[in-house]
Amino acid sequence: MLNTRLSGIIPPIVTPLLTHDELDREGLERLLTRVIDAGCSGVFILGSTGEAPALSSRLRLEMIQATAEIVRGKVTLLVGITDSSVEEAIQLGSAAIDAKADALVTSSPFYFRLSQSDLLRHAEMLTRELSIPLFLYNMPGLTKLVYEPDTVAKASEIAGIAGFKDSSGDLIYLQRVLRLVRGKPNFSVFIGPEELLAHAVLMGADGGVNGGANLFPELYVALFRAAKERRIDDLQDLERQVLELSEAIYRVGDPSTSYLRGLKAALSLQNICSDLPAAPMVPLSVEERAGIERWLTRQSA
Amino acid sequence: MLNTRLSGIIPPIVTPLLTHDELDREGLERLLTRVIDAGCSGVFILGSTGEAPALSSRLRLEMIQATAEIVRGKVTLLVGITDSSVEEAIQLGSAAIDAKADALVTSSPFYFRLSQSDLLRHAEMLTRELSIPLFLYNMPGLTKLVYEPDTVAKASEIAGIAGFKDSSGDLIYLQRVLRLVRGKPNFSVFIGPEELLAHAVLMGADGGVNGGANLFPELYVALFRAAKERRIDDLQDLERQVLELSEAIYRVGDPSTSYLRGLKAALSLQNICSDLPAAPMVPLSVEERAGIERWLTRQSA
Amino acid sequence: MLNTRLSGIIPPIVTPLLTHDELDREGLERLLTRVIDAGCSGVFILGSTGEAPALSSRLRLEMIQATAEIVRGKVTLLVGITDSSVEEAIQLGSAAIDAKADALVTSSPFYFRLSQSDLLRHAEMLTRELSIPLFLYNMPGLTKLVYEPDTVAKASEIAGIAGFKDSSGDLIYLQRVLRLVRGKPNFSVFIGPEELLAHAVLMGADGGVNGGANLFPELYVALFRAAKERRIDDLQDLERQVLELSEAIYRVGDPSTSYLRGLKAALSLQNICSDLPAAPMVPLSVEERAGIERWLTRQSA
Amino acid sequence: MLNTRLSGIIPPIVTPLLTHDELDREGLERLLTRVIDAGCSGVFILGSTGEAPALSSRLRLEMIQATAEIVRGKVTLLVGITDSSVEEAIQLGSAAIDAKADALVTSSPFYFRLSQSDLLRHAEMLTRELSIPLFLYNMPGLTKLVYEPDTVAKASEIAGIAGFKDSSGDLIYLQRVLRLVRGKPNFSVFIGPEELLAHAVLMGADGGVNGGANLFPELYVALFRAAKERRIDDLQDLERQVLELSEAIYRVGDPSTSYLRGLKAALSLQNICSDLPAAPMVPLSVEERAGIERWLTRQSA
């Protein structure tokens, strides 16, 4: 169980699939090993990048157990329990605790248009039932709901709430949140979109949960450190690389799901795992994949 | 299993709860009995009004079995299997088939921003695995995704897809869909928002899946018939009553979930079932509930 | 000046252009003559279909004068004065009064995100300065602002506010408005989207301000009468024709402005006026235009 | 006329009003004098903060002339010509040229939902008619339209387009734009939201057009310099002050227009100019104003 303040790069691990309900365990091992070796401070499974809401409960449990066995305490293990049902989230959280996860992560339930007091009550229900630290995860683009800064501040007072991850892409929002929770020694704040990692750290965030760290974990670790150590030339150079990757891999084909499908295509081209996304999505087309291949080849040249 | 074209009023049944994971079976029986006695042609459980995405899988299975036992073939039984995971939807659908449901209903998966071809593939995956008729359910306000009219037309060609329910509230959209599927003898179209029921029927829709029919099923059956039989004076009079109900019950308190919480409050005031909504929502406040009580009293006076 | 309750079809007249700042006066005369001869009860110039916000003040004044000369009291003349500046709207309204317009029409100012009390104050400022009846025009898709039903009800109490036009496309909204203003003898309500004309009339609306009436005014007059006289078979048949027109002409090419550009292309193919839209828009492409031509030819065959 | 690359702080000057169509010329002089004395490199009038779309054409011309007389070449003068009509924008631009403005600024027309090629054509039409440098201004929250990064890149190739201002609040978007226009020696990029100023500068932007610089110009000049000189401790300290101001002044009362009304309230409390916003808006309430007064008093203590 987590008992220090988290910081650094914690990749939101993709869920490697053999078929739509079958885990690619070998791919997962290659992926986790690389990420851990690169200096990431933790791994976060079953988030949006992990496609968790599209997976069966059974597969999510398998993913928790497989990851726990591979990670074995080498780094912090965070497990996403986001679900449209509170009860299902509690069951998933219990399984994660049994598997020795260090902390849990939840976004808001994502079907109904809940109020801010519903969101707070949701966090309280989960912390009451689940005995390890819980992070809240702001992902309005997919959940339709935003944790207002005041709600984050109130949540940070709940025993058991250990931090916050923001994937809104809105740095004014993140500043407003940081202003309210700054100074709480046991509450850490992470940023999702990797293009904003360095600036969030300069604003006082503790680190990043960045999808690209599945692919090039060293790059994100280096960018985090450059920001932390205020090496601005390095920061600008590394940030440019992050943006290049983002343009080359996350914006290929249908824009609605190109981030996920591009990331898995690139991992497959690196021989890490299959490019199969969760159903009903399909891999990038041959042409789209070839474009990513050319870009990756140029990078390693 | 459904083998005729559906029509008429099919209430989207609320899920009566004792606690957040405990079914109010007696309440359910009272509710279903009343609805069936009033002349509804079917019941649809585990839709949005049934709060299905917020319920545990276990409770959803219990709801299917309890409803099947109570309904016992008296009217058509439709079961919602909407889930963010295709695999979970298939498992729910199999349970519904085992319980002798007549048809299944699904909206799109509701976490990722899927493409139209993803939506079509989703429908195909479900019909391949599940052997009874499947209705598609357009609910963009909650799923963030719309079935484009062309997608509905393509889906109507898939064996196993038996119809479409639209809860967009957009009658131009519904007209565009009806224009494309008109003339398919085994494809029926229903409307969700009850304020639009009569006009959808005049446009050619087959009936309504209207939340208020939990409360006053006769009113909706009468409105459907007035529209079907083109009794415009009656239609206008009944439509006015529907709008009054909608203003009095669905727009009380926090607007985001007032429809669900108002409907359950009114059912509780009619001694049908508890007013507890699915977690993390809470019942209306005492004052809000008192306002609904006053309105209901005036109606019965 | 208008002194009876308005009803029937009042086409939102397109502004025929020779160049981006030059009125096609002959085209305007052909257009107005046809519309008046077809039995429309009025004409509404300088609305959204009239592209007014994209025209210079000078051209708007010319359009008012030219229309007033051609119409000469044969039908009711409504003039749009919508502007992002209240002062500019007042100046335009004064010019319309000088030209003997019967009534004015305004949507909300459309740059800032104003509150409901701002919208009400806006209506009051205009009626205080302008001595002829004023209609409010709800067009949230372009103005970003909606007149809440309560705001419409309050506005209907202001001396000088004579009616309301709704182009939201949301018939639940329209019903809620009608419920609040029903029974006010001097307040009329019109619907914008022509696909919904008949149903709005069945709900109690007084008529339609429908773009397609520039092209086929008889069709809309006939549909209005069928709804008014409750001839449902005729209504359904005519409504189907309206939908066909809408699919064939308003959904060609770039969807954002296809309505305007398609309508002007069709008018040009009927030799009424030029197909030039207001700057910076351009006419449909040759291929897009040819598709409309084929459809029009089939109609007249 | 501008012939060097712009940088630094260029406040978007509020338009001080005595009545809704009367300029507060003395207030304007006090405001401009303070801003110029504080080291701002230019002033930008008739932008969103200048409430230009809500002002009459006459008042906009008066504002141009009054500002030009007061500024008299001491700093760069940029004039906003944003209008829903291209022709009106051209007339305004010609007047600005006559008054010796250094550059013009335009956002997209803001009524119709234009395409990217319409936006590019709009920029070309303006540069063809207006002989001084033109900046494009991305303000999707109010115009509903975004200049896609590719469109900005294409626009940067048009002779006469001298730069870009982004008020989207989306730093990923800004990075994507900067990546495409980096290296063009005569194309400068500015950021609107002041909370993001320092980070935009670290990303390569040339400066800020920040509303708060009407109130505390020295603060924004200092923050710009800290970012430019990479003094991160100073940057963090000053950024915190900017955020405090933003929370205290821009988020008081009705959120839709609280930025404008709060800014004018604070300027009035500083005895710079009246707190009257453009019609149909009204000043903050007495209580809301008192809250801002208390905050300002604490700052100067």
Side-chain angles (χ1 to χ4, degrees):
Chain A
M1 185 173 123
L2 182 70
N3 50 22
T4 58
R5 184 189 181 103
L6 269 185
S7 70
I9 297 299
I10 303 177
I13 298 295
V14 307
T15 305
L17 294 173
L18 295 175
T19 70
H20 85 270
D21 197 31
E22 210 175 335
L23 187 63
D24 172 6
R25 229 190 126 101
E26 294 180 12
L28 178 64
E29 185 149 9
R30 279 189 294 272
L31 177 58
L32 289 170
T33 303
R34 181 167 73 168
V35 151
I36 295 168
D37 290 352
C40 293
S41 53
V43 295
F44 166 41
I45 60 168
L46 297 175
S48 298
T49 302
E51 299 173 297
L55 305 177
S56 69
S57 295
R58 190 205 58 70
L59 185 59
R60 290 200 255 175
L61 294 178
E62 186 182 347
M63 179 69 184
I64 292 170
Q65 276 146 12
T67 305
E69 284 169 27
I70 298 165
V71 169
R72 286 177 173 277
K74 287 173 209 154
V75 296
T76 304
L77 171 58
L78 292 91
V79 175
I81 61 170
T82 298
D83 202 281
S84 56
S85 157
V86 180
E87 187 60 28
E88 291 292 317
I90 290 171
Q91 289 176 25
L92 211 54
S94 301
I97 292 172
D98 291 348
K100 310 277 184 241
D102 296 293
L104 304 172
V105 182
T106 190
S107 75
S108 65
F110 48 91
Y111 191 74
F112 294 110
R113 296 191 175 271
L114 302 174
S115 68
Q116 294 297 306
S117 58
D118 290 332
L119 297 190
L120 211 52
R121 195 176 307 109
H122 175 249
E124 284 164 345
M125 287 183 75
L126 292 178
T127 51
R128 203 179 305 130
E129 301 290 330
L130 298 165
S131 59
I132 64 173
L134 177 68
F135 286 74
L136 298 183
Y137 168 19
N138 190 48
M139 179 41 119
L142 295 178
T143 64
K144 312 178 294 273
L145 300 174
V146 70
Y147 289 93
E148 297 291 349
D150 273 357
T151 303
V152 181
K154 285 176 193 158
S156 74
E157 301 292 330
I158 300 173
I161 302 287
F164 182 66
K165 176 198 163 190
D166 176 35
S167 288
S168 68
D170 177 351
L171 284 183
I172 300 179
Y173 168 86
L174 184 64
Q175 279 181 302
R176 298 181 64 205
V177 168
L178 284 166
R179 175 176 170 270
L180 294 175
V181 303
R182 228 186 303 259
K184 296 190 193 250
N186 296 313
F187 191 84
S188 54
V189 176
F190 285 77
I191 180 127
E194 54 210 69
E195 300 89 343
L196 304 176
L197 168 60
H199 301 280
V201 170
L202 289 177
M203 286 173 180
D206 297 282
V209 178
N210 311 127
N214 282 278
L215 264 184
F216 293 112
E218 291 85 356
L219 172 58
Y220 298 83
V221 171
L223 178 55
F224 169 74
R225 289 185 185 150
K228 199 74 192 165
E229 297 162 11
R230 302 174 174 192
R231 289 179 277 108
I232 304 297
D233 280 334
D234 292 346
L235 180 161
Q236 288 176 338
D237 179 49
L238 295 162
E239 185 170 277
R240 219 160 281 168
Q241 293 177 48
V242 165
L243 189 65
E244 291 297 327
L245 181 152
S246 157
E247 294 281 352
I249 295 183
Y250 302 161
R251 297 174 190 279
V252 174
D254 184 324
S256 45
T257 54
S258 57
Y259 161 72
L260 282 171
R261 296 157 74 223
L263 186 56
K264 281 198 156 173
L267 285 166
S268 150
L269 286 160
Q270 288 186 335
N271 298 313
I272 297 292
C273 63
S274 147
D275 63 352
L276 189 69
M281 291 181 274
V282 286
L284 291 184
S285 72
V286 172
E287 295 75 27
E288 291 163 350
R289 183 180 160 95
I292 291 183
E293 184 163 25
R294 283 190 298 275
W295 186 83
L296 286 172
T297 307
R298 278 201 303 276
Q299 301 312 301
S300 56
Chain B
M1 186 173 124
L2 181 70
N3 50 23
T4 57
R5 185 189 181 105
L6 268 184
S7 70
I9 297 299
I10 302 176
I13 299 295
V14 306
T15 304
L17 294 172
L18 294 175
T19 70
H20 87 270
D21 197 31
E22 208 175 337
L23 187 63
D24 172 6
R25 228 190 127 101
E26 294 179 14
L28 178 64
E29 184 149 8
R30 279 188 294 272
L31 177 57
L32 290 169
T33 302
R34 181 168 73 168
V35 151
I36 295 169
D37 290 351
C40 292
S41 52
V43 294
F44 165 42
I45 59 168
L46 297 176
S48 298
T49 302
E51 301 173 296
L55 305 176
S56 70
S57 296
R58 190 205 59 69
L59 185 59
R60 289 200 256 176
L61 294 177
E62 186 183 347
M63 179 69 184
I64 293 171
Q65 276 145 12
T67 305
E69 284 170 27
I70 297 165
V71 170
R72 285 176 173 278
K74 286 174 209 153
V75 295
T76 303
L77 171 57
L78 292 92
V79 175
I81 60 170
T82 299
D83 203 281
S84 58
S85 156
V86 180
E87 186 59 27
E88 290 293 316
I90 290 171
Q91 289 176 25
L92 211 53
S94 301
I97 292 172
D98 291 348
K100 310 280 184 236
D102 296 293
L104 305 172
V105 182
T106 190
S107 75
S108 65
F110 48 90
Y111 191 74
F112 294 109
R113 296 190 175 272
L114 302 175
S115 68
Q116 294 297 307
S117 58
D118 290 333
L119 296 191
L120 211 53
R121 196 177 305 108
H122 175 250
E124 284 164 346
M125 287 182 74
L126 293 178
T127 51
R128 202 179 304 129
E129 299 291 330
L130 298 166
S131 59
I132 65 173
L134 177 68
F135 286 74
L136 299 183
Y137 169 19
N138 191 48
M139 180 40 120
L142 294 178
T143 64
K144 310 178 296 273
L145 299 176
V146 70
Y147 289 93
E148 296 292 349
D150 274 357
T151 303
V152 181
K154 284 177 192 159
S156 73
E157 301 291 330
I158 300 173
I161 302 287
F164 182 66
K165 176 198 163 189
D166 176 36
S167 288
S168 68
D170 177 350
L171 284 183
I172 301 180
Y173 168 85
L174 184 63
Q175 279 182 301
R176 298 181 64 207
V177 168
L178 284 166
R179 175 175 170 271
L180 294 175
V181 302
R182 227 186 302 260
K184 295 191 194 252
N186 297 311
F187 191 84
S188 54
V189 176
F190 285 78
I191 179 124
E194 53 210 69
E195 299 89 344
L196 304 177
L197 167 62
H199 301 280
V201 170
L202 289 177
M203 285 173 180
D206 297 282
V209 179
N210 312 126
N214 282 278
L215 264 183
F216 293 112
E218 291 85 356
L219 172 59
Y220 298 83
V221 171
L223 178 55
F224 169 74
R225 288 184 186 152
K228 199 72 191 168
E229 297 163 10
R230 302 173 174 192
R231 289 179 277 110
I232 304 298
D233 280 334
D234 292 346
L235 180 161
Q236 288 175 338
D237 179 50
L238 296 161
E239 185 171 277
R240 220 160 280 166
Q241 293 177 48
V242 165
L243 189 66
E244 291 298 326
L245 182 153
S246 156
E247 295 282 352
I249 295 183
Y250 303 161
R251 297 175 190 279
V252 174
D254 184 323
S256 43
T257 55
S258 57
Y259 161 72
L260 282 171
R261 295 157 73 223
L263 186 56
K264 280 198 158 173
L267 285 166
S268 149
L269 286 161
Q270 288 186 333
N271 297 312
I272 297 292
C273 63
S274 148
D275 64 351
L276 188 69
M281 291 181 273
V282 286
L284 291 184
S285 72
V286 171
E287 295 74 27
E288 291 162 350
R289 184 180 159 94
I292 291 183
E293 184 164 26
R294 281 191 299 275
W295 186 83
L296 286 172
T297 306
R298 275 201 304 277
Q299 301 312 302
S300 56
Chain C
M1 187 173 123
L2 182 69
N3 49 23
T4 58
R5 185 189 180 105
L6 268 185
S7 69
I9 298 299
I10 302 176
I13 299 295
V14 307
T15 305
L17 294 173
L18 295 175
T19 71
H20 87 270
D21 197 31
E22 209 175 334
L23 186 63
D24 173 6
R25 229 190 125 101
E26 293 179 13
L28 178 64
E29 184 149 7
R30 279 188 295 271
L31 177 57
L32 290 171
T33 302
R34 182 168 74 170
V35 152
I36 294 169
D37 290 352
C40 292
S41 52
V43 295
F44 165 41
I45 60 167
L46 298 176
S48 297
T49 302
E51 301 174 294
L55 305 177
S56 68
S57 295
R58 190 205 58 69
L59 184 59
R60 289 200 256 175
L61 294 178
E62 186 183 347
M63 179 70 182
I64 293 171
Q65 277 145 12
T67 305
E69 284 170 26
I70 298 166
V71 170
R72 283 176 174 279
K74 287 175 208 153
V75 296
T76 303
L77 170 58
L78 291 91
V79 174
I81 61 170
T82 299
D83 202 281
S84 57
S85 157
V86 181
E87 186 60 28
E88 292 291 317
I90 291 171
Q91 289 177 25
L92 211 53
S94 300
I97 292 173
D98 291 347
K100 312 279 184 233
D102 296 293
L104 305 172
V105 182
T106 189
S107 75
S108 65
F110 48 90
Y111 191 75
F112 294 110
R113 296 189 176 271
L114 302 174
S115 68
Q116 294 297 306
S117 58
D118 290 333
L119 297 191
L120 211 53
R121 194 176 307 109
H122 174 249
E124 284 164 345
M125 288 182 74
L126 293 178
T127 51
R128 202 178 305 130
E129 300 291 329
L130 298 165
S131 58
I132 64 172
L134 177 68
F135 286 74
L136 298 183
Y137 168 18
N138 191 48
M139 179 40 120
L142 294 178
T143 64
K144 310 179 297 272
L145 300 175
V146 70
Y147 289 92
E148 296 293 348
D150 274 357
T151 304
V152 181
K154 284 177 192 157
S156 73
E157 301 292 331
I158 300 173
I161 302 287
F164 183 64
K165 177 198 163 186
D166 177 35
S167 288
S168 69
D170 177 350
L171 284 183
I172 300 180
Y173 167 86
L174 184 63
Q175 279 182 302
R176 298 181 65 206
V177 168
L178 284 167
R179 175 177 171 270
L180 295 175
V181 301
R182 226 186 303 259
K184 295 191 193 249
N186 296 313
F187 191 83
S188 54
V189 175
F190 286 77
I191 179 124
E194 53 209 70
E195 301 88 344
L196 304 176
L197 167 62
H199 301 280
V201 170
L202 289 176
M203 285 173 180
D206 296 283
V209 178
N210 311 126
N214 282 278
L215 263 183
F216 293 112
E218 290 85 357
L219 172 59
Y220 297 85
V221 171
L223 178 55
F224 169 73
R225 288 184 185 153
K228 199 75 190 163
E229 298 163 9
R230 301 173 173 193
R231 289 179 276 111
I232 305 298
D233 281 334
D234 292 346
L235 180 162
Q236 288 176 338
D237 179 50
L238 295 161
E239 185 171 278
R240 220 160 281 166
Q241 294 177 47
V242 164
L243 190 66
E244 291 298 327
L245 181 153
S246 156
E247 295 282 352
I249 295 183
Y250 303 160
R251 298 175 189 279
V252 174
D254 183 322
S256 44
T257 54
S258 56
Y259 161 71
L260 282 172
R261 295 156 74 223
L263 186 56
K264 279 198 158 173
L267 285 167
S268 148
L269 286 160
Q270 288 186 336
N271 297 312
I272 298 292
C273 63
S274 148
D275 63 353
L276 188 70
M281 292 181 272
V282 286
L284 292 184
S285 72
V286 171
E287 294 75 26
E288 291 163 351
R289 184 180 159 94
I292 291 184
E293 184 164 25
R294 282 191 297 275
W295 186 83
L296 286 172
T297 307
R298 277 201 303 277
Q299 300 312 301
S300 55
Chain D
M1 185 172 125
L2 181 72
N3 49 23
T4 59
R5 185 189 180 103
L6 270 185
S7 69
I9 298 299
I10 302 176
I13 298 297
V14 307
T15 305
L17 294 173
L18 294 176
T19 71
H20 86 271
D21 197 31
E22 209 175 337
L23 187 64
D24 172 5
R25 230 189 126 101
E26 293 179 13
L28 178 64
E29 184 149 9
R30 281 188 293 272
L31 177 57
L32 289 170
T33 303
R34 182 168 73 169
V35 152
I36 294 168
D37 289 352
C40 293
S41 52
V43 294
F44 164 42
I45 60 168
L46 298 176
S48 297
T49 302
E51 302 173 293
L55 305 177
S56 69
S57 296
R58 190 205 58 69
L59 185 59
R60 290 201 255 174
L61 294 178
E62 185 182 348
M63 179 69 183
I64 292 171
Q65 276 145 12
T67 305
E69 283 169 26
I70 299 165
V71 170
R72 284 178 172 278
K74 287 173 206 154
V75 295
T76 303
L77 170 58
L78 292 90
V79 175
I81 60 170
T82 299
D83 201 282
S84 56
S85 156
V86 181
E87 186 60 27
E88 291 292 316
I90 290 172
Q91 290 175 24
L92 212 52
S94 301
I97 292 172
D98 290 348
K100 311 277 183 239
D102 296 293
L104 305 172
V105 182
T106 190
S107 75
S108 65
F110 48 90
Y111 191 74
F112 294 109
R113 297 191 174 270
L114 302 174
S115 68
Q116 294 297 306
S117 57
D118 290 333
L119 297 190
L120 211 54
R121 194 175 309 109
H122 175 249
E124 284 163 346
M125 287 182 75
L126 293 178
T127 51
R128 202 178 306 130
E129 301 290 330
L130 299 165
S131 57
I132 65 173
L134 177 68
F135 286 75
L136 299 183
Y137 168 18
N138 191 47
M139 179 40 118
L142 294 178
T143 64
K144 310 178 297 274
L145 300 175
V146 70
Y147 289 93
E148 297 292 347
D150 274 358
T151 303
V152 182
K154 284 176 193 157
S156 74
E157 300 293 331
I158 300 173
I161 302 286
F164 182 66
K165 177 198 163 188
D166 177 35
S167 288
S168 69
D170 177 352
L171 284 183
I172 301 180
Y173 167 86
L174 184 63
Q175 279 182 301
R176 298 181 65 206
V177 168
L178 284 166
R179 174 176 172 270
L180 294 176
V181 303
R182 227 187 302 260
K184 297 192 192 249
N186 296 313
F187 191 84
S188 54
V189 176
F190 285 77
I191 179 125
E194 53 210 71
E195 301 89 345
L196 304 176
L197 167 63
H199 302 279
V201 170
L202 289 176
M203 286 173 179
D206 298 282
V209 178
N210 311 127
N214 283 280
L215 264 184
F216 293 113
E218 292 84 358
L219 172 59
Y220 297 83
V221 170
L223 178 55
F224 168 73
R225 288 184 185 151
K228 200 74 193 163
E229 297 163 10
R230 301 175 174 192
R231 289 179 277 111
I232 305 297
D233 280 334
D234 293 346
L235 179 162
Q236 289 176 338
D237 179 50
L238 295 162
E239 184 170 278
R240 219 160 283 168
Q241 294 177 47
V242 165
L243 190 65
E244 291 298 327
L245 181 154
S246 157
E247 295 282 353
I249 295 183
Y250 302 160
R251 298 176 189 278
V252 174
D254 183 324
S256 44
T257 54
S258 57
Y259 161 71
L260 282 171
R261 295 158 74 223
L263 185 55
K264 280 197 158 173
L267 285 167
S268 148
L269 287 160
Q270 288 186 335
N271 297 312
I272 297 292
C273 62
S274 149
D275 63 353
L276 188 70
M281 293 181 273
V282 286
L284 291 184
S285 72
V286 171
E287 295 74 29
E288 291 163 350
R289 183 180 160 96
I292 291 184
E293 185 164 25
R294 282 191 298 276
W295 186 83
L296 286 172
T297 307
R298 277 202 303 278
Q299 300 312 301
S300 55

